[in-house]
Amino acid sequence: MFSKQEKKQYHRHLILDQIGVLGQKKLKAAKVLVIGAGGLGCPVLQYLTAAGVGTIGIVDGDTVDLSNLQRQVLYTTQDVDQNKAQVAAARLKFLNPHITLKTYPEFITKDNVLTIFGAYDFIVDGSDNFPTRYLVNDACVLTDKPLVFGSIFKFQGQVSVFNYQGSGTYRCLFPTPPVANSVPNCSDIGVLGVLPGIIGALQANEAIKLITGIGELLVNKLLYFDALTLQQQLLAFQKNSEATITALEEDYELFCGVTQANVHKSIKAEEAEAYLKEYTVLDVRTYREFEDENIGGIHVPLEELEDRLDEISTQQKMVVCCATGRRSAAAILTLEQHLPNVDFINLEDGLDAYFNL
């Protein structure tokens, strides 16, 4: 049952007709694993903790960076360089001392995913990359765990519930991943700070509905949200019988093309000066990024690359760069198909690292 402190803390739930004592008991008995304690994970964790979910697991091998604080509101400047899962758990304990918080200060991988998932009833995915999304989805199918999915991109977000009582999965919507590095993440193009708070809160809402059995879940539906217009669209999709999952992929980075995108030659930021003396620079960032700060050379945004190959075809040696090295890696894959005689080298940690030397 509930202690006097718990009754007071959960009072607004206990007097809510659709939740009440029975629903709150379900929340207390639930075991939920949250993948990632970043932009989406922070609000998910805060609201599930506040709601009284009895056991919450937090998986994240990343550390807090100063750039995270614009949107990851669990952290402060004092937490920089500390593991996110551990910092989040310590802070959440002050919000609700009546629950159990388990930390996994590591990244979810093919080697640990099935073991970790086995201890939980539901999974909430707050990851920010395609290899992890496919891995989490496939592991949920294999372990028969419902999955609350969320993603963000600049000003837009998506939410859905996958693998619930035989419903569709992430692969029903996206059978194959996009071309490697063709979809930049927030470190490349930015994200509105409040957006992950909105989408993460919606994920927490779906998780609470799933646990308590109230409302209508986003099953076989994808909610699309635009923060600039506040427009929402609810897109229905069907379970794809061909999207069957019988085992985990051998290599999810290879499956998503990440490994392939790194097979070309690359250099670190600290090596760049030596190469810049004899190589031409090709900057594939946006116009705004280039105007803010650049190291010269040829500027062709990634999305315009194939239409402006003539500006590059006269070169023999080029260092290709962007903010973080991901878009430049994608650019080289395209360029090598059209200009095999040019020697392309990727600035793998990007201009952000170069400017910070």
Side-chain angles (χ1 to χ4, degrees):
M1 200 54 181
F2 303 108
S3 66
K4 289 183 179 180
Q5 291 82 4
E6 286 176 294
K7 288 179 181 178
K8 188 169 185 179
Q9 185 154 348
Y10 305 141
H11 181 254
R12 299 301 191 275
H13 269 179
L14 294 171
I15 62 174
L16 198 60
D17 290 343
Q18 292 89 339
I19 295 184
V21 173
L22 180 59
Q24 195 62 44
K25 283 183 177 180
K26 291 179 179 179
L27 288 167
K28 187 173 183 176
K31 298 178 181 179
V32 178
L33 182 71
V34 179
I35 309 296
L40 293 172
C42 281
V44 169
L45 288 165
Q46 286 172 295
Y47 278 107
L48 294 187
T49 296
V53 172
T55 302
I56 300 175
I58 311 171
V59 184
D60 202 320
D62 199 9
T63 56
V64 178
D65 185 82
L66 197 60
S67 65
N68 298 150
L69 305 186
Q70 167 251 14
R71 63 201 177 280
Q72 298 179 20
V73 294
L74 264 176
Y75 311 120
T76 72
T77 54
Q78 294 181 328
D79 302 320
V80 171
D81 294 330
Q82 297 185 57
N83 175 262
K84 289 182 180 179
Q86 294 173 332
V87 173
R91 193 140 293 134
L92 293 167
K93 202 65 180 175
F94 289 107
L95 175 59
N96 191 344
H98 309 295
I99 68 170
T100 299
L101 292 156
K102 296 183 178 180
T103 59
Y104 304 85
E106 58 191 300
F107 292 108
I108 204 77
T109 68
K110 179 187 174 184
D111 296 326
N112 63 20
V113 65
L114 297 179
T115 300
I116 295 175
F117 278 23
Y120 294 90
D121 306 317
F122 313 107
I123 312 298
V124 181
D125 185 11
S127 63
D128 62 356
N129 63 85
F130 290 102
T132 302
R133 289 174 187 165
Y134 279 97
L135 170 63
V136 168
N137 175 80
D138 295 356
C140 281
V141 173
L142 294 175
T143 56
D144 195 24
K145 310 288 183 182
L147 170 63
V148 180
F149 165 79
S151 69
I152 53 175
F153 183 82
K154 296 176 73 172
F155 300 98
Q156 290 84 41
Q158 299 177 345
V159 184
S160 188
V161 175
F162 297 131
N163 199 49
Y164 178 71
Q165 297 181 349
S167 73
T169 74
Y170 184 72
R171 285 186 185 257
C172 295
L173 274 176
F174 309 105
T176 57
V179 175
N181 297 301
S182 62
V183 181
N185 64 21
C186 65
S187 63
D188 288 320
I189 56 168
V191 62
L192 183 67
V194 300
L195 179 65
I198 296 169
I199 300 303
L202 290 172
Q203 286 182 273
N205 183 57
E206 290 304 297
I208 291 170
K209 286 158 54 181
L210 198 160
I211 294 166
T212 58
I214 64 173
E216 184 177 340
L217 292 169
L218 286 171
V219 173
N220 291 339
K221 298 173 186 175
L222 181 73
L223 176 68
Y224 171 86
F225 174 82
D226 189 320
L228 292 180
T229 63
L230 294 187
Q231 289 184 329
Q232 298 183 55
Q233 292 178 292
L234 201 57
L235 309 174
F237 67 94
Q238 293 182 336
K239 180 178 175 63
N240 182 358
S241 59
E242 296 182 0
T244 56
I245 300 159
T246 58
L248 296 178
E249 299 281 350
E250 286 297 321
D251 187 330
Y252 279 87
E253 291 200 342
L254 182 63
F255 171 70
C256 293
V258 175
T259 303
Q260 179 187 3
N262 291 326
V263 297
H264 47 67
K265 290 183 287 185
S266 63
I267 56 172
K268 294 285 189 180
E270 53 268 24
E271 304 174 87
E273 286 297 336
Y275 283 86
L276 295 180
K277 294 176 182 177
E278 57 175 312
Y279 280 68
T280 302
V281 172
L282 173 61
D283 191 326
V284 297
R285 296 177 300 161
T286 64
Y287 287 103
R288 176 173 292 181
E289 288 175 291
F290 187 79
E291 290 170 2
D292 286 344
E293 192 173 22
N294 66 77
I295 57 173
I298 300 172
H299 175 231
V300 182
L302 179 59
E303 61 270 19
E304 299 178 13
L305 203 57
E306 292 197 62
D307 296 327
R308 297 172 59 181
L309 290 172
D310 57 320
E311 300 176 38
I312 305 166
S313 59
T314 59
Q315 305 298 319
Q316 292 183 325
K317 299 179 178 180
M318 303 198 81
V319 171
V320 187
C321 59
C322 65
T324 63
R326 283 184 285 267
R327 281 173 289 173
S328 52
I332 291 177
L333 286 177
T334 299
L335 290 166
E336 288 178 335
Q337 295 175 16
H338 298 282
L339 304 172
N341 296 322
V342 181
D343 182 16
F344 294 107
I345 295 182
N346 185 38
L347 184 60
E348 69 174 68
D349 42 7
L351 288 172
D352 285 353
Y354 178 82
F355 292 138
N356 286 325
L357 286 176

mmCIF file of all heavy atoms in Angstrom, residues 214-233:
data_model
loop_
_atom_site.group_PDB
_atom_site.id
_atom_site.type_symbol
_atom_site.label_atom_id
_atom_site.label_comp_id
_atom_site.label_asym_id
_atom_site.label_seq_id
_atom_site.Cartn_x
_atom_site.Cartn_y
_atom_site.Cartn_z
ATOM 1 N N ILE A 214 -5.416 3.450 -19.142
ATOM 2 C CA ILE A 214 -6.421 4.479 -19.414
ATOM 3 C C ILE A 214 -6.171 5.101 -20.783
ATOM 4 O O ILE A 214 -5.082 5.006 -21.346
ATOM 5 C CB ILE A 214 -6.419 5.586 -18.338
ATOM 6 C CG1 ILE A 214 -5.078 6.332 -18.345
ATOM 7 C CG2 ILE A 214 -6.687 4.993 -16.962
ATOM 8 C CD1 ILE A 214 -5.038 7.543 -17.432
ATOM 9 N N GLY A 215 -7.205 5.727 -21.319
ATOM 10 C CA GLY A 215 -7.068 6.483 -22.558
ATOM 11 C C GLY A 215 -6.837 5.618 -23.776
ATOM 12 O O GLY A 215 -6.973 4.391 -23.749
ATOM 13 N N GLU A 216 -6.482 6.274 -24.863
ATOM 14 C CA GLU A 216 -6.233 5.602 -26.146
ATOM 15 C C GLU A 216 -4.772 5.782 -26.515
ATOM 16 O O GLU A 216 -4.288 6.910 -26.674
ATOM 17 C CB GLU A 216 -7.130 6.206 -27.230
ATOM 18 C CG GLU A 216 -7.011 5.515 -28.570
ATOM 19 C CD GLU A 216 -7.964 6.090 -29.609
ATOM 20 O OE1 GLU A 216 -8.950 6.743 -29.217
ATOM 21 O OE2 GLU A 216 -7.701 5.900 -30.816
ATOM 22 N N LEU A 217 -4.068 4.699 -26.642
ATOM 23 C CA LEU A 217 -2.638 4.752 -26.933
ATOM 24 C C LEU A 217 -2.367 5.069 -28.400
ATOM 25 O O LEU A 217 -3.211 4.820 -29.273
ATOM 26 C CB LEU A 217 -1.987 3.415 -26.590
ATOM 27 C CG LEU A 217 -1.922 3.024 -25.110
ATOM 28 C CD1 LEU A 217 -1.504 1.558 -24.973
ATOM 29 C CD2 LEU A 217 -0.955 3.924 -24.359
ATOM 30 N N LEU A 218 -1.175 5.589 -28.660
ATOM 31 C CA LEU A 218 -0.743 5.858 -30.035
ATOM 32 C C LEU A 218 -0.229 4.567 -30.672
ATOM 33 O O LEU A 218 0.910 4.464 -31.101
ATOM 34 C CB LEU A 218 0.351 6.929 -30.037
ATOM 35 C CG LEU A 218 -0.097 8.363 -29.765
ATOM 36 C CD1 LEU A 218 1.110 9.280 -29.574
ATOM 37 C CD2 LEU A 218 -0.966 8.871 -30.912
ATOM 38 N N VAL A 219 -1.115 3.588 -30.735
ATOM 39 C CA VAL A 219 -0.783 2.291 -31.321
ATOM 40 C C VAL A 219 -1.168 2.311 -32.795
ATOM 41 O O VAL A 219 -2.293 2.674 -33.148
ATOM 42 C CB VAL A 219 -1.518 1.154 -30.585
ATOM 43 C CG1 VAL A 219 -1.305 -0.170 -31.303
ATOM 44 C CG2 VAL A 219 -1.014 1.061 -29.148
ATOM 45 N N ASN A 220 -0.212 1.926 -33.646
ATOM 46 C CA ASN A 220 -0.396 2.009 -35.099
ATOM 47 C C ASN A 220 -0.738 3.433 -35.543
ATOM 48 O O ASN A 220 -1.437 3.644 -36.538
ATOM 49 C CB ASN A 220 -1.465 1.027 -35.575
ATOM 50 C CG ASN A 220 -1.004 -0.419 -35.449
ATOM 51 O OD1 ASN A 220 0.192 -0.701 -35.378
ATOM 52 N ND2 ASN A 220 -1.951 -1.329 -35.392
ATOM 53 N N LYS A 221 -0.236 4.395 -34.777
ATOM 54 C CA LYS A 221 -0.409 5.809 -35.110
ATOM 55 C C LYS A 221 0.902 6.530 -34.807
ATOM 56 O O LYS A 221 1.597 6.208 -33.844
ATOM 57 C CB LYS A 221 -1.536 6.443 -34.276
ATOM 58 C CG LYS A 221 -2.904 5.836 -34.501
ATOM 59 C CD LYS A 221 -3.900 6.417 -33.509
ATOM 60 C CE LYS A 221 -5.248 5.728 -33.610
ATOM 61 N NZ LYS A 221 -6.188 6.211 -32.572
ATOM 62 N N LEU A 222 1.197 7.536 -35.602
ATOM 63 C CA LEU A 222 2.371 8.369 -35.377
ATOM 64 C C LEU A 222 1.898 9.809 -35.218
ATOM 65 O O LEU A 222 1.264 10.370 -36.110
ATOM 66 C CB LEU A 222 3.336 8.262 -36.551
ATOM 67 C CG LEU A 222 4.627 9.084 -36.437
ATOM 68 C CD1 LEU A 222 5.571 8.451 -35.417
ATOM 69 C CD2 LEU A 222 5.325 9.217 -37.788
ATOM 70 N N LEU A 223 2.186 10.389 -34.059
ATOM 71 C CA LEU A 223 1.841 11.785 -33.813
ATOM 72 C C LEU A 223 2.988 12.665 -34.279
ATOM 73 O O LEU A 223 4.129 12.501 -33.856
ATOM 74 C CB LEU A 223 1.591 12.021 -32.322
ATOM 75 C CG LEU A 223 1.313 13.477 -31.926
ATOM 76 C CD1 LEU A 223 -0.023 13.933 -32.474
ATOM 77 C CD2 LEU A 223 1.352 13.644 -30.416
ATOM 78 N N TYR A 224 2.667 13.611 -35.153
ATOM 79 C CA TYR A 224 3.648 14.572 -35.654
ATOM 80 C C TYR A 224 3.313 15.937 -35.076
ATOM 81 O O TYR A 224 2.161 16.388 -35.142
ATOM 82 C CB TYR A 224 3.603 14.616 -37.182
ATOM 83 C CG TYR A 224 4.420 15.732 -37.793
ATOM 84 C CD1 TYR A 224 5.771 15.577 -38.051
ATOM 85 C CD2 TYR A 224 3.823 16.944 -38.119
ATOM 86 C CE1 TYR A 224 6.519 16.605 -38.600
ATOM 87 C CE2 TYR A 224 4.558 17.979 -38.672
ATOM 88 C CZ TYR A 224 5.898 17.800 -38.926
ATOM 89 O OH TYR A 224 6.632 18.828 -39.469
ATOM 90 N N PHE A 225 4.318 16.606 -34.490
ATOM 91 C CA PHE A 225 4.104 17.903 -33.834
ATOM 92 C C PHE A 225 5.067 18.936 -34.395
ATOM 93 O O PHE A 225 6.254 18.674 -34.543
ATOM 94 C CB PHE A 225 4.321 17.757 -32.323
ATOM 95 C CG PHE A 225 4.272 19.056 -31.567
ATOM 96 C CD1 PHE A 225 3.057 19.615 -31.193
ATOM 97 C CD2 PHE A 225 5.449 19.723 -31.243
ATOM 98 C CE1 PHE A 225 3.020 20.817 -30.496
ATOM 99 C CE2 PHE A 225 5.419 20.925 -30.546
ATOM 100 C CZ PHE A 225 4.193 21.474 -30.180
ATOM 101 N N ASP A 226 4.549 20.130 -34.704
ATOM 102 C CA ASP A 226 5.353 21.232 -35.211
ATOM 103 C C ASP A 226 5.323 22.361 -34.189
ATOM 104 O O ASP A 226 4.269 22.957 -33.950
ATOM 105 C CB ASP A 226 4.810 21.716 -36.560
ATOM 106 C CG ASP A 226 5.739 22.716 -37.238
ATOM 107 O OD1 ASP A 226 6.305 23.578 -36.545
ATOM 108 O OD2 ASP A 226 5.884 22.641 -38.476
ATOM 109 N N ALA A 227 6.472 22.661 -33.596
ATOM 110 C CA ALA A 227 6.527 23.671 -32.544
ATOM 111 C C ALA A 227 6.332 25.089 -33.081
ATOM 112 O O ALA A 227 5.939 25.981 -32.339
ATOM 113 C CB ALA A 227 7.860 23.573 -31.803
ATOM 114 N N LEU A 228 6.615 25.310 -34.362
ATOM 115 C CA LEU A 228 6.486 26.647 -34.924
ATOM 116 C C LEU A 228 5.030 27.041 -35.164
ATOM 117 O O LEU A 228 4.666 28.212 -35.078
ATOM 118 C CB LEU A 228 7.277 26.752 -36.233
ATOM 119 C CG LEU A 228 8.802 26.676 -36.102
ATOM 120 C CD1 LEU A 228 9.458 26.791 -37.470
ATOM 121 C CD2 LEU A 228 9.322 27.758 -35.173
ATOM 122 N N THR A 229 4.203 26.066 -35.492
ATOM 123 C CA THR A 229 2.787 26.356 -35.785
ATOM 124 C C THR A 229 1.842 25.762 -34.745
ATOM 125 O O THR A 229 0.656 26.071 -34.743
ATOM 126 C CB THR A 229 2.406 25.782 -37.159
ATOM 127 O OG1 THR A 229 2.543 24.344 -37.125
ATOM 128 C CG2 THR A 229 3.302 26.349 -38.256
ATOM 129 N N LEU A 230 2.362 24.885 -33.886
ATOM 130 C CA LEU A 230 1.573 24.105 -32.931
ATOM 131 C C LEU A 230 0.564 23.192 -33.625
ATOM 132 O O LEU A 230 -0.392 22.727 -33.006
ATOM 133 C CB LEU A 230 0.858 25.009 -31.920
ATOM 134 C CG LEU A 230 1.771 25.775 -30.956
ATOM 135 C CD1 LEU A 230 0.945 26.505 -29.904
ATOM 136 C CD2 LEU A 230 2.772 24.849 -30.281
ATOM 137 N N GLN A 231 0.807 22.910 -34.882
ATOM 138 C CA GLN A 231 -0.045 21.960 -35.595
ATOM 139 C C GLN A 231 0.366 20.534 -35.245
ATOM 140 O O GLN A 231 1.543 20.239 -35.069
ATOM 141 C CB GLN A 231 0.046 22.164 -37.103
ATOM 142 C CG GLN A 231 -0.625 23.431 -37.593
ATOM 143 C CD GLN A 231 -0.593 23.535 -39.098
ATOM 144 O OE1 GLN A 231 0.330 23.062 -39.747
ATOM 145 N NE2 GLN A 231 -1.616 24.150 -39.660
ATOM 146 N N GLN A 232 -0.637 19.666 -35.148
ATOM 147 C CA GLN A 232 -0.388 18.263 -34.898
ATOM 148 C C GLN A 232 -1.097 17.437 -35.962
ATOM 149 O O GLN A 232 -2.214 17.783 -36.382
ATOM 150 C CB GLN A 232 -0.903 17.846 -33.521
ATOM 151 C CG GLN A 232 -0.220 18.564 -32.368
ATOM 152 C CD GLN A 232 -0.704 18.058 -31.027
ATOM 153 O OE1 GLN A 232 -0.662 16.869 -30.737
ATOM 154 N NE2 GLN A 232 -1.165 18.977 -30.196
ATOM 155 N N GLN A 233 -0.448 16.381 -36.374
ATOM 156 C CA GLN A 233 -1.046 15.444 -37.313
ATOM 157 C C GLN A 233 -0.958 14.046 -36.732
ATOM 158 O O GLN A 233 0.063 13.671 -36.150
ATOM 159 C CB GLN A 233 -0.330 15.480 -38.669
ATOM 160 C CG GLN A 233 -0.514 16.766 -39.439
ATOM 161 C CD GLN A 233 0.260 16.743 -40.747
ATOM 162 O OE1 GLN A 233 1.493 16.749 -40.749
ATOM 163 N NE2 GLN A 233 -0.446 16.702 -41.855
#
